[in-house]
Amino acid sequence: MLSLKNISKYYKAGNLKTSILNNINLDVDAGEFVSIMGPSGSGKSTLLNIIGMLDEPTDGYHYFLNQPIHQLKEKQRQALYKENIGFVFQAYHLIDELTVYENIETPLLYHNIKSDERKALVADMLDRFQIVGKKDLFPSQLSGGQQQLVGIARALIVSPKLLLADEPTGNLNSKQGDEIMELFKKLNKEEGMTIIQVTHSEKNAEYGSRIINLLDGTVESSKNV
Amino acid sequence: MLKNYIKIAWRNIVNKKLYSAINIIGLTVGLAVGLLILLWVQDETSYDKFNTKVDRIYKVNASIGTGASKQVWGGTPAPVAFHAAKEVPGVEAAVRVVGDMDYSKFRYKDKLLRRTATMKFVDDAFFTVFDYKLLKGDPKKPFPTDQSIILSVTEAKKYFGDTDPMGKVLRGDDKDPYTVSGVMADMPANSSIQADYLFSINVRKKQYNGKGMWKAMDEDWGDYWADTYLLLKANASPIAIADKLTRIHMSLQKGIKPTDGVFQLQPLADIHLYNPDLTSAGAEIVKIFSIVALLILLIACINYVNLSTARSVLRSKEVSVRKIIGAERKHLFFQFVFETALCFLIALVLAFGIIYAIMPLYNHIANKEMHFDLFSTSVWKVIGITTIITLAASSIYPAILLSSFKPIDALRSRASGVGSGNFRKVLVVCQFAFSIGLIIGTLVINRQLHYIQTTQVGYDRDHVFTVNLYNNMYPHQDAVKAELLRHREITGVAVGDNIVNGDSSTGDTDWDGKPATASMVIHPFSIDQDFIKVFKVKLIAGSNFTGEKSDTSHYILNETAIKEAGIKNPIGKRFKLWQRNGIIIGVVKDFHFASLKQVIEPAIFSYAEKSGQLFVKTTGKNAAAAINLVKQYHVQYNHGDPPFEYNFLDDDFNNLYKTEQSTSMLFSIFAGIAIFISCLGLFGLATYTAQVKVKEIGIRKVLGASVLNITTMLSKDFLLLIVISLLIASPIAWYAMDKWLESYVYRISVNWITIALAGVGAILIALITISFQSIKAALANPVKSLRSE
Ligand SMILES: Nc1ncnc2c1ncn2[C@@H]1O[C@H](COP(=O)(O)OP(=O)(O)OP(=O)(O)O)[C@@H](O)[C@H]1O
Ligand SMILES: [Mg+2]
């Protein structure tokens, strides 16, 4: 599904060139659940953003669903992204001005889904995550775990092929974290959703089918669980 | 989707109450004022354009004299139209519009009404050349006989109520009978020709009995009393036609100087805004006000742009998230456009409310009868253009800005400010430069006006009022004068022409030693022997009239007349005014008998034993008593018909500057509004800055900074911007106001004090605006602000 070849990323600050990612090679097949680990500053988020097309590598080849992303125009990339990738963040990043219902519904608006269909899809999602009772609340009225559930629901509503999560449990207590991880595992197992997550916790990483360790911008180790 | 955009936009407006209020108030005031000004501009530029043939209608003006004494008159001799229609090829029709010979009342049966509206004598082509609507009657032959009269609907109603006026007879001044041959719609307010009673020009024609100097109206080349309008053929050249008319004039009036009576054609569409000599008669103010309207709208737009881009920093997270969950540029763009549009809609509705509410006051100040008709196309033209421009300027930039940044950067809050703060600074500088410019303009206009009104004009008009003697008191004026003077409330009495506004003039002058090519246009005043004394006009040579018979051949001239005529030792020299030869017995010091916009021109006093106008000088304390005394004589002689009326010369004098006064009043209001909207924006920005820097302020306070330190830190940048605006605005405003002042012959000069005053004023106002927020931020408890992060 996804293939990175010799991906590098540099930042230039004055004369100083800092290398963030160095010759990364990574292949992820459909249906995998990959956990990326590594010390702070090792480039995990940067890698995830590149995979998610929110950031561009300085060098290298990037294929997604057999398309050469590094050759695509901004518009084509945007379309590919929009159809296939969902993002979940550590800080949830819900829209404060919108209710739970509206937060989940918004991606559908951008996908030009009809009103009736939208209603059905959102109702489904609320049901599945058991947050029907919260649908008219605003994010500030929810607990962290609940907010992250909404964040995940929002990412999943357009049924992406690939779910990217940057420390999805980072702001949660361990019980809330476990619930999210169970959810991911279920998604992966039952629906065959491809998931790549960044995490600091060994325990959470173990939920995945493969753990990749990043160190100073290079893949230090990769092992199947 | 649409519903969603509107919902989000509405929620954003409601959630951010302060910002929304600032935005909406700014837009509302800007729109209301901008629309009001543009309505005025539209009204001013719409004059006479209701005529479908406006492009082909010209007015004939006459240029008299050359060089400094050259004048261009709006009237022409009557034969111009006669010959134009008869023998000038490019002319399709000619119409004369003439006033004078006024009836003061009309009678229909037992209804005797005083005439309060204008009457005109016109040629038959009047209704075919112009688009004035004849509701009843034949536009091709409006006056079946010379004793026909056409009335406006309003006037007809007064005499005939709801009955059909056609064929009924009105008696002018209770004697001359006129049969109603037509009823016309009231002339539009934006018509430069105004009349409610129309008569055939033949009525005037009959007054030439073949005995006077001019044998017939169409041969009278000496009196420039007819407003002459020509309808040209489609491709006729106005210049060629004017030349042809001048040639006809030169060949038919014997002994005329080739520079006296040169005709020029002025397009009908221009005559409201330009004088016959093509100087501005309002065109300048229209231009200035259009610019002011534009500036005010711009200032309001800038507010919106500034606040929304500033706030975009606070909203960058929302925008990024939307992008990440699939929003394309167009989605975000429309979201912001909708938000602006909603703000705008609210502002527009409020602006309409304001416009409706203050329309009467505005009409009063602007001296107009404009209507704000929500359903008129012209109103919507103004609104449409304004709205589109404002909407474009105030939504597209923030929309592009907000939808263009890279989402991941904003989420990591590495992008500390979206859109450069510099752009905002430039806009604030623009805004304040406009405002300061308007303040300087206001100060200069007011100072000039004050200067004009307090300048010594060379005569004393204090506590002098004037009344019309009318037919019955006229013969007894000597007795009345003598009796009035017996009262101690009255310190002087004179009869003559009004000294405040000497607007009649003649080129019919001659004197000993006059060069063959010379001509002098002079303003004649006919006065009695007391006039010069009462008005304290200074006699610098010779003597005043004495009131004896010989005075009828005596003249007193002003210095300018003597200088221009080039008469050495003028006393005792021959001077001829019109057909009357006489000698110069005195010279008076120059005095202003016109607006200070005009340079003093030659003037001449001739003696008249009797005049229609009585001038009474009193004192401030005794004014009421003096008026009462005069009123008693009026009642005694005129039996209260017409009702007693008086007016003080001070009012006449102020009337000379009516346009200036309303301009200055409006300008002050506009400048005030401009600075108000600018400050509103500044207030918003200061609020935003305090909000963004709340953490920094907290840390500084913990480190020991005082309230003053922090207020200074927050205000410094803004003040710098205001100072820069001042530096930019003052030279431009200085230059512009210098140009404006050039239209006054007697004027103040722009000086540093004015600029400094405007600058200090703007800085003070801005400082108060900013410090409100700065001090609040500085006083806030640092622990709170730090914890909340
Ligand atoms: N725009 C940028 N400019 C300069 N340096 C950057 C930029 N973005 C990231 N970096 C640097 O790249 C490095 C990797 O950052 P990244 O966010 O990918 O780390 P991470 O592994 O996700 O760390 P953490 O576990 O703390 O989230 C860091 O040292 C960071 O300072
Ligand atoms: Mg990270």
Side-chain angles (χ1 to χ4, degrees), chain A residues 11 20 39-46 167 200, chain B residues 412 414:
Chain A
Y11 279 111
I20 311 292
S40 194
S42 56
K44 304 181 297 290
S45 295
T46 309
E167 298 183 43
H200 277 287
Chain B
R412 285 183 172 184
R414 217 176 272 122

PDB file of all heavy atoms in Angstrom, chain A residues 11 20 39-46 167 200, chain B residues 412 414, ligand 1:
ATOM      1  N   TYR A  11      16.389  20.405   7.364  1.00  0.00           N
ATOM      2  CA  TYR A  11      15.988  21.802   7.573  1.00  0.00           C
ATOM      3  C   TYR A  11      17.214  22.655   7.479  1.00  0.00           C
ATOM      4  O   TYR A  11      18.275  22.299   7.976  1.00  0.00           O
ATOM      5  CB  TYR A  11      15.338  21.997   8.941  1.00  0.00           C
ATOM      6  CG  TYR A  11      13.880  21.575   8.946  1.00  0.00           C
ATOM      7  CD1 TYR A  11      13.468  20.463   9.648  1.00  0.00           C
ATOM      8  CD2 TYR A  11      12.948  22.326   8.231  1.00  0.00           C
ATOM      9  CE1 TYR A  11      12.134  20.080   9.637  1.00  0.00           C
ATOM     10  CE2 TYR A  11      11.613  21.946   8.229  1.00  0.00           C
ATOM     11  CZ  TYR A  11      11.214  20.827   8.931  1.00  0.00           C
ATOM     12  OH  TYR A  11       9.917  20.454   8.921  1.00  0.00           O
ATOM     13  N   ILE A  20      16.826  15.657   9.643  1.00  0.00           N
ATOM     14  CA  ILE A  20      15.802  15.129  10.544  1.00  0.00           C
ATOM     15  C   ILE A  20      15.543  13.663  10.224  1.00  0.00           C
ATOM     16  O   ILE A  20      15.458  12.822  11.103  1.00  0.00           O
ATOM     17  CB  ILE A  20      14.467  15.897  10.377  1.00  0.00           C
ATOM     18  CG1 ILE A  20      14.702  17.396  10.426  1.00  0.00           C
ATOM     19  CG2 ILE A  20      13.453  15.446  11.415  1.00  0.00           C
ATOM     20  CD1 ILE A  20      15.132  17.926  11.748  1.00  0.00           C
ATOM     21  N   PRO A  39      12.999   7.941  20.657  1.00  0.00           N
ATOM     22  CA  PRO A  39      13.111   9.051  21.608  1.00  0.00           C
ATOM     23  C   PRO A  39      12.561  10.353  21.029  1.00  0.00           C
ATOM     24  O   PRO A  39      12.399  10.488  19.820  1.00  0.00           O
ATOM     25  CB  PRO A  39      14.623   9.152  21.861  1.00  0.00           C
ATOM     26  CG  PRO A  39      15.269   8.398  20.768  1.00  0.00           C
ATOM     27  CD  PRO A  39      14.286   7.422  20.217  1.00  0.00           C
ATOM     28  N   SER A  40      12.310  11.266  21.907  1.00  0.00           N
ATOM     29  CA  SER A  40      11.788  12.568  21.499  1.00  0.00           C
ATOM     30  C   SER A  40      12.777  13.244  20.550  1.00  0.00           C
ATOM     31  O   SER A  40      13.978  13.247  20.792  1.00  0.00           O
ATOM     32  CB  SER A  40      11.575  13.424  22.746  1.00  0.00           C
ATOM     33  OG  SER A  40      10.795  14.520  22.422  1.00  0.00           O
ATOM     34  N   GLY A  41      12.264  13.770  19.479  1.00  0.00           N
ATOM     35  CA  GLY A  41      13.120  14.468  18.529  1.00  0.00           C
ATOM     36  C   GLY A  41      13.734  13.571  17.481  1.00  0.00           C
ATOM     37  O   GLY A  41      14.502  14.038  16.635  1.00  0.00           O
ATOM     38  N   SER A  42      13.383  12.296  17.505  1.00  0.00           N
ATOM     39  CA  SER A  42      14.006  11.370  16.555  1.00  0.00           C
ATOM     40  C   SER A  42      13.379  11.460  15.164  1.00  0.00           C
ATOM     41  O   SER A  42      13.890  10.876  14.211  1.00  0.00           O
ATOM     42  CB  SER A  42      13.913   9.940  17.095  1.00  0.00           C
ATOM     43  OG  SER A  42      12.561   9.619  17.353  1.00  0.00           O
ATOM     44  N   GLY A  43      12.270  12.151  15.047  1.00  0.00           N
ATOM     45  CA  GLY A  43      11.695  12.363  13.713  1.00  0.00           C
ATOM     46  C   GLY A  43      10.431  11.578  13.452  1.00  0.00           C
ATOM     47  O   GLY A  43       9.991  11.463  12.308  1.00  0.00           O
ATOM     48  N   LYS A  44       9.806  11.048  14.507  1.00  0.00           N
ATOM     49  CA  LYS A  44       8.613  10.216  14.333  1.00  0.00           C
ATOM     50  C   LYS A  44       7.471  11.016  13.691  1.00  0.00           C
ATOM     51  O   LYS A  44       6.875  10.570  12.710  1.00  0.00           O
ATOM     52  CB  LYS A  44       8.147   9.685  15.699  1.00  0.00           C
ATOM     53  CG  LYS A  44       9.192   8.908  16.468  1.00  0.00           C
ATOM     54  CD  LYS A  44       8.654   8.397  17.778  1.00  0.00           C
ATOM     55  CE  LYS A  44       8.250   9.492  18.747  1.00  0.00           C
ATOM     56  NZ  LYS A  44       9.395  10.256  19.311  1.00  0.00           N
ATOM     57  N   SER A  45       7.186  12.187  14.275  1.00  0.00           N
ATOM     58  CA  SER A  45       6.074  12.984  13.746  1.00  0.00           C
ATOM     59  C   SER A  45       6.365  13.407  12.318  1.00  0.00           C
ATOM     60  O   SER A  45       5.472  13.396  11.457  1.00  0.00           O
ATOM     61  CB  SER A  45       5.857  14.226  14.609  1.00  0.00           C
ATOM     62  OG  SER A  45       5.450  13.840  15.895  1.00  0.00           O
ATOM     63  N   THR A  46       7.590  13.795  12.077  1.00  0.00           N
ATOM     64  CA  THR A  46       7.962  14.222  10.734  1.00  0.00           C
ATOM     65  C   THR A  46       7.699  13.103   9.730  1.00  0.00           C
ATOM     66  O   THR A  46       7.125  13.335   8.666  1.00  0.00           O
ATOM     67  CB  THR A  46       9.452  14.618  10.712  1.00  0.00           C
ATOM     68  OG1 THR A  46       9.698  15.535  11.775  1.00  0.00           O
ATOM     69  CG2 THR A  46       9.827  15.244   9.387  1.00  0.00           C
ATOM     70  N   GLU A 167       0.728   9.867  18.499  1.00  0.00           N
ATOM     71  CA  GLU A 167       0.554   9.779  19.950  1.00  0.00           C
ATOM     72  C   GLU A 167      -0.902   9.982  20.351  1.00  0.00           C
ATOM     73  O   GLU A 167      -1.222  10.914  21.090  1.00  0.00           O
ATOM     74  CB  GLU A 167       1.440  10.813  20.652  1.00  0.00           C
ATOM     75  CG  GLU A 167       2.912  10.555  20.381  1.00  0.00           C
ATOM     76  CD  GLU A 167       3.803  11.535  21.134  1.00  0.00           C
ATOM     77  OE1 GLU A 167       3.523  11.786  22.312  1.00  0.00           O
ATOM     78  OE2 GLU A 167       4.770  12.040  20.529  1.00  0.00           O
ATOM     79  N   HIS A 200       4.912   6.477  22.483  1.00  0.00           N
ATOM     80  CA  HIS A 200       6.057   6.413  23.375  1.00  0.00           C
ATOM     81  C   HIS A 200       5.963   5.199  24.288  1.00  0.00           C
ATOM     82  O   HIS A 200       6.917   4.881  24.996  1.00  0.00           O
ATOM     83  CB  HIS A 200       6.130   7.674  24.248  1.00  0.00           C
ATOM     84  CG  HIS A 200       6.802   8.815  23.554  1.00  0.00           C
ATOM     85  ND1 HIS A 200       8.146   8.868  23.330  1.00  0.00           N
ATOM     86  CD2 HIS A 200       6.291   9.958  23.014  1.00  0.00           C
ATOM     87  CE1 HIS A 200       8.456   9.977  22.691  1.00  0.00           C
ATOM     88  NE2 HIS A 200       7.332  10.670  22.483  1.00  0.00           N
TER      89      HIS A 200
ATOM     90  N   ARG B 412       1.424  22.967  14.878  1.00  0.00           N
ATOM     91  CA  ARG B 412       2.567  22.873  15.785  1.00  0.00           C
ATOM     92  C   ARG B 412       2.844  24.231  16.417  1.00  0.00           C
ATOM     93  O   ARG B 412       3.824  24.392  17.115  1.00  0.00           O
ATOM     94  CB  ARG B 412       3.798  22.455  15.007  1.00  0.00           C
ATOM     95  CG  ARG B 412       3.799  21.000  14.631  1.00  0.00           C
ATOM     96  CD  ARG B 412       5.092  20.737  13.957  1.00  0.00           C
ATOM     97  NE  ARG B 412       5.293  19.323  13.722  1.00  0.00           N
ATOM     98  CZ  ARG B 412       6.424  18.850  13.209  1.00  0.00           C
ATOM     99  NH1 ARG B 412       7.401  19.689  12.905  1.00  0.00           N
ATOM    100  NH2 ARG B 412       6.559  17.580  13.021  1.00  0.00           N
ATOM    101  N   ARG B 414       4.101  26.668  15.190  1.00  0.00           N
ATOM    102  CA  ARG B 414       5.378  27.256  14.819  1.00  0.00           C
ATOM    103  C   ARG B 414       5.114  28.569  14.083  1.00  0.00           C
ATOM    104  O   ARG B 414       5.902  29.490  14.117  1.00  0.00           O
ATOM    105  CB  ARG B 414       6.170  26.294  13.942  1.00  0.00           C
ATOM    106  CG  ARG B 414       7.643  26.365  14.244  1.00  0.00           C
ATOM    107  CD  ARG B 414       8.412  25.344  13.452  1.00  0.00           C
ATOM    108  NE  ARG B 414       8.488  24.059  14.136  1.00  0.00           N
ATOM    109  CZ  ARG B 414       8.051  22.917  13.618  1.00  0.00           C
ATOM    110  NH1 ARG B 414       7.491  22.905  12.420  1.00  0.00           N
ATOM    111  NH2 ARG B 414       8.166  21.796  14.278  1.00  0.00           N
TER     112      ARG B 414
HETATM  113  N1  LIG C   1      10.047  23.148  10.685  1.00  0.00           N
HETATM  114  C1  LIG C   1      11.128  22.718  11.347  1.00  0.00           C
HETATM  115  N2  LIG C   1      12.252  23.442  11.333  1.00  0.00           N
HETATM  116  C2  LIG C   1      13.362  23.042  11.984  1.00  0.00           C
HETATM  117  N3  LIG C   1      13.418  21.916  12.691  1.00  0.00           N
HETATM  118  C3  LIG C   1      12.316  21.132  12.753  1.00  0.00           C
HETATM  119  C4  LIG C   1      11.128  21.493  12.088  1.00  0.00           C
HETATM  120  N4  LIG C   1      10.193  20.511  12.309  1.00  0.00           N
HETATM  121  C5  LIG C   1      10.789  19.595  13.102  1.00  0.00           C
HETATM  122  N5  LIG C   1      12.069  19.974  13.362  1.00  0.00           N
HETATM  123  C6  LIG C   1      13.015  19.232  14.149  1.00  0.00           C
HETATM  124  O1  LIG C   1      13.008  17.895  13.690  1.00  0.00           O
HETATM  125  C7  LIG C   1      13.237  17.050  14.737  1.00  0.00           C
HETATM  126  C8  LIG C   1      12.221  15.920  14.719  1.00  0.00           C
HETATM  127  O2  LIG C   1      10.978  16.424  15.074  1.00  0.00           O
HETATM  128  P1  LIG C   1       9.705  15.511  15.278  1.00  0.00           P
HETATM  129  O3  LIG C   1       8.550  16.359  15.663  1.00  0.00           O
HETATM  130  O4  LIG C   1       9.522  14.687  14.058  1.00  0.00           O
HETATM  131  O5  LIG C   1      10.160  14.622  16.497  1.00  0.00           O
HETATM  132  P2  LIG C   1       9.363  13.507  17.259  1.00  0.00           P
HETATM  133  O6  LIG C   1      10.149  12.280  17.096  1.00  0.00           O
HETATM  134  O7  LIG C   1       7.962  13.476  16.836  1.00  0.00           O
HETATM  135  O8  LIG C   1       9.481  13.999  18.759  1.00  0.00           O
HETATM  136  P3  LIG C   1       8.398  13.907  19.950  1.00  0.00           P
HETATM  137  O9  LIG C   1       8.483  12.499  20.457  1.00  0.00           O
HETATM  138  O10 LIG C   1       8.880  14.863  20.958  1.00  0.00           O
HETATM  139  O11 LIG C   1       7.086  14.261  19.369  1.00  0.00           O
HETATM  140  C9  LIG C   1      13.207  17.826  16.021  1.00  0.00           C
HETATM  141  O12 LIG C   1      14.554  17.941  16.494  1.00  0.00           O
HETATM  142  C10 LIG C   1      12.656  19.164  15.616  1.00  0.00           C
HETATM  143  O13 LIG C   1      13.314  20.152  16.343  1.00  0.00           O
END
